[in-house]
Amino acid sequence: MTRQLSFTLQIGTRFDGGAPLIWSLKAEGVEGVLVPRPKRYRRLLAAHAAQFGGAPISPDAIDAMFGLEQVEGPRDLRCVLRVLELMQPSPNFCPAGDWFYDIGPRAAGYCAALAPAPVTFMISLCNPAHLLSQAVASGAYPGIEVIAPDPFDLQWAVVLRALRDSCPEASIIAWNADEAPMVWGRIIEAAVQREASFSEAAKIQAARNKMNEEGATRLAQYLDGHVGMPDALRAQVISIFLKRFPHKDAVRPEIVLPGWDATAQARMDEHFADDLSAVVGIEGVTFIGL
């Protein structure tokens, strides 16, 4: 019997708070789910998606790239990959003020490279002003201030529609980066696309990263004592703990952009909320929210 492969590709940037996803999954060791380390495949996969004219990677190369030869048994297998190369590098991030230039066709290259395996994209949607401010502060985009991108030009709904247009067979799972700690359990469950039992530690990993040690311990104890809590109430509890026990490094950096002020921030808050509402209405996109 031939193994049936499927892929979850977590796309985005290192500024969107999505980094714990593959590490949460890797620590859990879910049956039928493989989470290879990104350094094993990132450059090879990106090069193949960009250079080989849409030809699928050979089965032997797939096995070697993701370490499938180490997985025993002819069973269904989902690989969860972190693919920042699609959006994070300078030529793709915002060249000449064009947010995530040509993302649809480039994403289609990944789908073609992994064909015939089905692909699901996952993405954490960050407030555009915070995304741009952190990118500029990182120093990873020299010259970005010469043609300063406008954060109000970034509409996630436009980005995701471009993905859907170029990759109509792929599904998309998205969430608001600000809400991720409260819904992390649902996010990691969505990543594996199968029935799985996750530990409480994995479900609150994103929240733990933003709390001090006392808060993380007390939150885990509280949730252990309230098994079966409805998702909405659970999210409220996590939010309360985050506010009460913040980690000293978890405070979001101040937005440092030319001319940014309270008026611009109010406009951005409205812009981002409207954008997320549009995302929710896109066919083929599953939005995980409060």
Side-chain angles (χ1 to χ4, degrees), residues 187-205:
I187 291 170
I188 58 176
E189 288 169 358
V192 302
Q193 298 283 292
R194 65 185 64 213
E195 292 292 328
S197 179
F198 288 97
S199 70
E200 195 60 62
K203 291 179 181 179
I204 62 171
Q205 180 62 49

Side-chain angles (χ1 to χ4, degrees), residues 242-257:
L242 285 168
K243 292 174 182 176
R244 187 172 179 184
F245 300 100
H247 191 281
K248 62 181 178 63
D249 297 327
V251 178
R252 170 177 275 181
E254 180 183 356
I255 294 176
V256 182
L257 295 173

Side-chain angles (χ1 to χ4, degrees), residues 191-243:
V192 302
Q193 298 283 292
R194 65 185 64 213
E195 292 292 328
S197 179
F198 288 97
S199 70
E200 195 60 62
K203 291 179 181 179
I204 62 171
Q205 180 62 49
R208 290 176 64 93
N209 291 348
K210 294 181 177 295
M211 285 189 288
N212 59 34
E213 185 175 349
E214 178 188 1
T217 299
R218 293 180 64 172
L219 174 61
Q221 291 172 342
Y222 185 89
L223 294 176
D224 283 343
H226 295 78
V227 177
M229 184 183 301
D231 284 344
L233 181 56
R234 178 188 176 86
Q236 291 179 16
V237 168
I238 294 174
S239 179
I240 291 170
F241 273 81
L242 285 168
K243 292 174 182 176

